[in-house]
Every structure is written in structure tokens, then in C-alpha cells.
Amino acid sequence: MVPIRSSSVSPAFAFLVAALGIALFSVMDAVMKGLVLAIGVYNTMLWRSFGNVALGAVAWGVVGVRRPSRRAMLLHLGRGSITCAMGLLFFWGLARVPMAQAIALSYIAPILALILAAWWLRERVSIRTIGAVIAASLGIATILAGQAQTALGAEAFEGAVAILASAVLYAVNLILTRLQSLAARPAETAFFQSGVILLILIAAAPWLAVLPPTATLLPLAGATLLAFASMMLLSWAYGHGEAGYLAMTEYTSFVYAAVLGFLVFGERVSPYTLVGASVIVVACIVAARRRDIAAQTLEQAA
């Protein structure tokens, strides 16, 4: 059985670290949206990944390089592959819908994580979870209805579908995040996850890669630093706190998205998005369980 690291860090401090990670990640989303609009989702992620790998290598070297365990490598490969697909879908969709709407749609991930964990563990899905799924579905329908009312166009609907698909992958990612944090240190995680993403993207480079314009170099560097700092903070927080408790920090991102979307892109939050986001958030909170989902998975699988 794999031992779980004990921690003397207070839950409140782990929560604050995770919240800071989400804040940095939200700013990165705004930068990435601008880059995707300028050079496309593939090239944005490709060139950012080079910087992520470099920063990860430096961080790993500072804390001390050691050979990853077989378990850790499998988790690095799995989570890196999922994160790559998740990122491509999310940022492609983000370029086509308002930021607040995109973030609101992504909030279904915690509920999906509960369902996936139940399937993984052969658990019965509770009535509370079923009710939360129904409520979250109504929240999504409300947001999409608002999208239709504002006539954002076919591309906006396709973007919303891409974000929902990304949320499904993010649900898997939430479970793997906790498992990975128990098997490897944050610097190792950052290096290998970024490396896996880069290798996947490089495979398509002969057909899709173009050199980024000079004007995009500074935003690319900024997105790289923000993504790396967020990844390190979240990896550390999830290694010292319960995933179900820390997942609540995800919901602060809606405020950041609404503010940044308005200030940077002139996007206004529709009443439909506000109502839909509220319903989804409440459904997630009601469905949440104190016991760490990923810890259950680890205990069952070990």
C-alpha cells in the first residue's frame, strides 16, 4: 500500500495557496485568450510549452533530481496527455465565448469527478449526487439559452461544446492531481507534465508550427510564468490538503474571469450566465464530500 504523506500545514493555509494558484491561472487564461486570437491555439500552447519545460527543469534541478518511480511516471504520462487535450479544447473554446461563460461551464468538473470516482471505485451514486447532476445540467442549459439569446453565433456554440468536453477531461485531471501529488514533488510534476505536453504537440509541428510574431513573445513569456507558478502552487496545495476542500477555490475564478473579460476584451456577463453559474456552483457544493475522492481511489487501488 502506498503511504500518504502527513502534513502539519493548516487546511486554511493550503486553501489560501490553492486560491492564489487559481488567481494566477485566471490571469493566464486572459493572456492565453489574447494569444489564441492572435496565433491560434496550437502555436500558443506549443511555444508556451517550451518555456514550461525549461522552468520545470530548473525547478527540478534546484530541489534535487531523482529518478521517478514507475507509479509516478505512469501518472506523469497519463495526466500530461489528458492535460494536453484538455488545454487544446479549453483554449480553443475560450477564444470563441466570453471568459465568464467559459469558466462557468467548466464548473461541472467537480460533479463529474464525483461520478467518475464512484464508477472507478464501484460505489453507488447517491441521490444527492444525482440531484446535483440534474441541477448542474439546468445551469448549463441556462447558460446556453443565454448564449442563444445574445446571438453569439455558431462558433460560440462550438466553443461551449469544446469547453464542456474539456471539463470532462478536467474531472479526470482532478483525481489524477491528488494521486500525482502523493507520488511526486511539485517540481518533478511540473517538469514531466510540461514535457509530455510538449512531446505531444511537437508531433504535429511539421504541419502546424509557425514562428510567433515578435509582439507575442512577451505575452507568451508571461503566460508561461503564470502557468508554471499556478501549477507549482496547486501541486503543493493538493499535496497538503483534501482535494474536496481545496476544489472550492475553483469557484473564485468566475469573479476573475468576469472582471478580466470586461477589462481586457469588453465582455459583459449576461444574467443567464450569472444564474447558470450560481446553480452549477451550488450543485457542486451540495454534492461535495469531505472525504478526499482521490484518497479513496488510492486506498482502493493500492
Side-chain angles (χ1 to χ4, degrees):
M1 184 161 178
V2 180
I4 297 178
R5 287 183 303 201
S6 60
S7 173
S8 59
V9 175
S10 71
F13 186 72
F15 187 92
L16 288 175
V17 172
L20 178 58
I22 294 297
L24 295 182
F25 206 81
S26 298
V27 177
M28 186 273 294
D29 280 344
V31 177
M32 287 291 287
K33 176 165 184 168
L35 286 167
V36 171
L37 290 171
I39 61 176
V41 64
Y42 171 80
N43 282 284
T44 297
M45 286 193 62
L46 173 68
W47 297 112
R48 191 192 71 171
S49 293
F50 278 104
N52 285 343
V53 170
L55 288 174
V58 171
W60 197 27
V62 169
V63 301
V65 175
R66 65 182 182 187
R67 184 177 178 180
S69 66
R70 182 175 179 276
R71 178 183 178 82
M73 277 304 305
L74 289 174
L75 287 168
H76 293 326
L77 290 171
R79 188 177 172 218
S81 301
I82 289 171
T83 302
C84 183
M86 181 184 77
L88 288 170
L89 285 167
F90 179 78
F91 291 122
W92 186 87
L94 184 63
R96 288 159 175 78
V97 301
M99 285 188 63
Q101 184 184 112
I103 296 302
L105 291 172
S106 71
Y107 284 164
I108 66 166
I111 290 180
L112 294 176
L114 287 172
I115 296 172
L116 288 172
W119 168 76
W120 192 338
L121 297 172
R122 303 288 192 269
E123 293 178 346
R124 294 179 61 186
V125 178
S126 68
I127 297 297
R128 179 173 57 181
T129 300
I130 294 174
V133 170
I134 294 173
S137 299
L138 292 174
I140 293 169
T142 301
I143 293 171
L144 294 179
Q147 187 181 79
Q149 291 289 330
T150 52
L152 294 176
E155 276 205 348
F157 178 76
E158 292 168 358
V161 171
I163 289 166
L164 290 172
S166 176
V168 174
L169 295 179
Y170 189 44
V172 179
N173 195 43
L174 283 174
I175 297 175
L176 292 181
T177 295
R178 178 63 171 164
L179 293 172
Q180 192 179 37
S181 71
L182 299 172
R185 290 176 293 180
E188 178 187 317
T189 295
F191 172 73
F192 278 100
Q193 180 174 311
S194 300
V196 171
I197 292 172
L198 179 58
L199 289 175
I200 293 172
L201 293 172
I202 280 179
W207 300 275
L208 300 177
V210 296
L211 289 175
T214 304
T216 64
L217 295 180
L218 185 58
L220 279 168
T224 299
L225 290 171
L226 288 166
F228 179 78
S230 176
M231 187 189 304
M232 292 290 288
L233 289 169
L234 290 171
S235 293
W236 184 92
Y238 274 86
H240 294 81
E242 295 182 0
Y245 176 59
L246 297 179
M248 295 300 105
T249 61
E250 295 282 340
Y251 306 129
T252 62
S253 59
F254 183 82
V255 177
Y256 300 126
V259 172
L260 290 169
F262 176 74
L263 293 177
V264 180
F265 302 103
E267 300 168 349
R268 295 186 180 276
V269 182
S270 75
Y272 289 92
T273 298
L274 283 173
V275 172
S278 299
V279 171
I280 294 170
V281 169
V282 170
C284 289
I285 293 173
V286 169
R289 290 178 291 186
R290 287 288 302 173
R291 190 175 179 191
D292 188 348
I293 297 168
Q296 295 179 49
T297 306
L298 183 61
E299 291 168 5
Q300 185 77 11

